[in-house]
Amino acid sequence: MGGGAQFTGTQAEAPAGESGDNLIGIDEVQRCLNRSRASVYRYTNTDPRNLNPPFNPRKLNPEYRSDQKDPLLFHPNEVARFARDVLRIKEVTVEVLNSPSTATQQLLGSILEELRAIRGLLSEAEGRPTSLESRREHHDQARPAA
């Protein structure tokens, strides 16, 4: 269910970061923009005195960080905006791609499967009598008279 970014203008594909909502890291941004790592850091809106500086339309704005040690992560739409508006890369589009499933996604899938099985069993049980007496009545009605 994860995703990544694909920029038509540069034909680069970036898989999603594991730690967020389709967010990508510096390495993926570097590949997408076809720029050096140092260039990407120069483009990025960071400030040593302010962990989360205000939005700057001339810079590449990372997602919110709660600690200075947190890695810089970027939303694919922000990278596309920066490529289009600042770097003037023509025809920039973002395409969300499926990434390999993680252990969490596999666990959630198995939980969903089990819940569906439980729902199926409960649906079947709704048509059945629930008490012993009603089962006897149902059984007596089902047998032909002798």
Side-chain angles (χ1 to χ4, degrees):
M1 293 201 184
Q6 182 174 7
F7 299 92
T8 302
T10 60
Q11 294 301 318
E13 183 179 316
E18 289 291 321
S19 62
D21 187 33
N22 297 335
L23 301 180
I24 58 177
I26 288 285
D27 294 334
E28 291 87 2
V29 173
Q30 177 186 346
R31 283 191 289 272
C32 288
L33 298 178
N34 198 21
R35 299 293 195 273
S36 70
R37 190 176 183 89
S39 293
V40 173
Y41 277 112
R42 279 194 303 271
Y43 298 148
T44 303
N45 183 17
T46 57
D47 181 353
R49 298 165 307 227
N50 185 355
L51 184 60
N52 295 298
F55 179 82
N56 182 341
R58 302 293 307 153
K59 294 278 193 171
L60 179 59
N61 296 282
E63 290 296 304
Y64 176 83
R65 295 187 299 163
S66 57
D67 189 342
Q68 195 76 29
K69 295 175 186 171
D70 290 345
L72 290 170
L73 295 174
F74 303 88
H75 194 281
N77 290 340
E78 171 60 14
V79 178
R81 180 207 63 85
F82 180 78
R84 183 185 60 246
D85 297 349
V86 179
L87 298 179
R88 305 283 187 229
I89 297 174
K90 303 279 188 254
E91 298 180 29
V92 176
T93 58
V94 177
E95 180 182 342
V96 176
L97 306 171
N98 287 333
S99 63
S101 64
T102 63
T104 303
Q105 290 169 331
Q106 291 171 353
L107 178 62
L108 289 172
S110 63
I111 290 171
L112 179 61
E113 202 174 297
E114 190 168 338
L115 288 172
R116 286 181 177 152
I118 291 169
R119 175 183 278 172
L121 291 172
L122 289 173
S123 295
E124 289 175 14
E126 285 179 358
R128 296 184 192 155
T130 55
S131 70
L132 182 59
E133 193 61 40
S134 62
R135 285 183 189 189
R136 282 187 186 151
E137 289 173 12
H138 179 72
H139 181 67
D140 291 341
Q141 291 172 358
R143 290 192 316 180

